[in-house]
């Protein structure tokens, strides 16, 4: 009976990178087209700009679930750079090498449609297949545990996204260091809305593009404090944006080489570098080490050990070498997590101090 119904989202599955985007697509042959067309009026997103957008149509090979693929790019339900609308479309903004851009992705009739606005529109559409996991090969994953086999069967549209942008994943990952997700999401939301630029296209004034590196570098210390970001995390971001060009060059490297370059920035450790390359590179083996909850979740799911540490987690994931991040995501998406034994970590707001 369980196989007849889609699993309900839980706190764990959301962390595994799941957003509500009902449309999914399955196709057998690749094809695409690029053309200029007027932007259309979308359900739930009133038109606020009349500029034409660029459109690309792409036919993926195999199943594709937009919510699962793009879910890891959302930093909380109030993320000003990401939105999933009731019609099944996913909207996101990016600061591309060509400038700010807004991308809308939808799937229907076995085809993916991408529409983009702004100076970065063409850059976003050129990389649309990689963003939707075209460079990922799910067939390389061979489940060794029943839980993972069942979860993969229920989530056939899971692909690992590759954004091709480092800083837009690095900065929110730094904000998430050693704080609750609510605190990190709040900081990201406040900083992007205050120092970012309005997104181009029909969502102008409703979505925002992340600030440029120089803008991050000029944020006053009291604004970091008001957003609840302590000096250590703020200093790490400031050091990173000073070498933003060098960090963005890491996109052309292998994930392990890219992680080594990121970790040269003081304050960026193995946890942060893994969280970054999982999104920027689509790194299938970049398992997150140093996480407060993940070892216990993996240990509980695969061995019934809720007290597992990083070494135990890596040992359990060893059969999935080369695909350990995918294995961890499937575990998170399975929803199998140990019951809470302690009260939830209290939320703090240093901006009130």
């Amino acid at each position: 009976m369980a196989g007849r119904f889609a699993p309900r989202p839980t706190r764990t599955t959301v962390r595994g990178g799941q957003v509500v985007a009902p449309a999914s697509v399955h196709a057998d042959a690749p094809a695409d087209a690029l053309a200029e067309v007027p932007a259309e009026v979308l359900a739930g997103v009133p038109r606020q700009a009349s500029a034409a957008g660029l459109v690309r149509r792409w036919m993926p090979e195999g199943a594709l679930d937009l919510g699962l693929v793009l879910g890891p790019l959302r930093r909380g339900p109030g993320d000003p750079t990401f939105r999933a609308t009731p019609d099944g479309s996913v909207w996101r903004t990016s600061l591309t090498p060509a400038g700010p851009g807004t991308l809308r992705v939808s799937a229907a009739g076995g085809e993916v449609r991408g529409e983009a606005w702004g100076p970065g529109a063409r850059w976003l559409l050129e990389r649309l297949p990689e963003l939707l996991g075209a460079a990922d090969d799910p067939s390389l994953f061979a489940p060794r545990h029943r839980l993972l086999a069942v979860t993969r069967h229920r989530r056939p549209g899971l692909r690992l996204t590759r954004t091709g942008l480092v800083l837009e994943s690095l900065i929110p990952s730094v904000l998430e260091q050693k704080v609750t997700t609510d605190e990190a999401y709040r900081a990201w939301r406040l900083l992007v809305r205050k120092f970012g630029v309005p997104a181009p296209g029909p969502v102008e004034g409703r979505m925002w593009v992340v600030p440029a590196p120089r803008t991050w570098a000029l944020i006053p210390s009291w604004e970091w404090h008001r957003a609840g970001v302590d000096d250590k995390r703020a200093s790490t971001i400031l050091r990173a944006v000073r070498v933003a060009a060098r960090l963005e060059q890491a996109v052309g490297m292998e994930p392990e080489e890219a992680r080594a370059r990121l970790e040269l920035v003081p304050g960026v450790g193995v946890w942060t570098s893994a969280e970054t390359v999982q999104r920027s590179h689509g790194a299938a083996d970049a398992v997150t080490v140093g996480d407060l909850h993940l070892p216990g979740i993996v240990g509980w799911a695969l061995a019934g050990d809720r007290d597992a540490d990083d070494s135990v987690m890596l040992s359990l994931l060893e059969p999935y070498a080369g695909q350990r991040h995918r294995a961890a995501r499937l575990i998170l998406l399975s929803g199998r997590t140990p019951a809470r034994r302690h009260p939830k970590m209290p939320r703090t707001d240093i901006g009130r101090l």
Side-chain angles (χ1 to χ4, degrees), residues 172-330:
S173 296
V174 172
L175 292 176
E176 293 173 7
Q177 292 176 350
K178 298 183 178 180
V179 296
T180 65
T181 54
D182 289 343
E183 293 174 78
Y185 292 159
R186 175 181 177 273
W188 174 250
R189 182 173 65 251
L190 293 178
L191 292 170
V192 171
R193 285 180 176 173
K194 186 159 189 175
F195 297 100
V197 297
V203 292
E204 184 177 0
R206 291 172 164 266
M207 295 181 69
W208 300 83
V209 181
V210 296
R214 178 170 174 77
T215 304
W216 284 109
L218 295 177
I219 294 178
S221 59
W222 58 87
E223 293 292 354
W224 293 104
H225 186 80
R226 287 173 179 171
V229 183
D230 56 74
D231 289 343
K232 184 176 181 180
R233 287 179 291 152
S235 297
T236 300
I237 293 174
L238 294 178
R239 286 190 289 263
V241 297
R242 292 191 188 106
V243 291
R246 294 284 292 166
L247 296 183
E248 292 295 351
Q249 291 173 0
V251 170
M253 302 178 176
E254 291 298 317
E256 286 304 316
E257 295 177 349
R259 292 186 63 180
R261 174 168 291 194
L262 292 176
E263 290 169 20
L264 291 175
V265 178
V268 176
V270 293
W271 185 93
T272 307
S273 67
E275 291 286 315
T276 301
V277 300
Q278 287 168 8
R279 297 164 174 82
S280 62
H281 289 68
D285 195 48
V287 61
T288 304
V289 176
D291 192 82
L292 179 62
H293 303 290
L294 186 61
I297 293 173
V298 173
W300 176 258
L302 300 185
D305 181 6
R306 64 182 302 157
D307 297 315
D309 56 15
D310 282 333
S311 62
V312 174
M313 177 182 70
L314 293 176
S315 176
L316 291 171
L317 293 177
E318 183 60 32
Y320 302 104
Q323 297 285 313
R324 293 179 297 175
H325 169 51
R326 191 190 309 276
R329 275 206 67 189
L330 288 171

Side-chain angles (χ1 to χ4, degrees), residues 78 104 109 158 239:
R104 174 191 181 242
L158 174 63
R239 286 190 289 263

Side-chain angles (χ1 to χ4, degrees), residues 30-50:
D32 58 61
L34 184 66
E36 293 191 4
V37 298
E40 60 184 9
V41 179
L42 301 172
V45 184
R47 172 175 289 280
Q48 297 183 8
S50 59

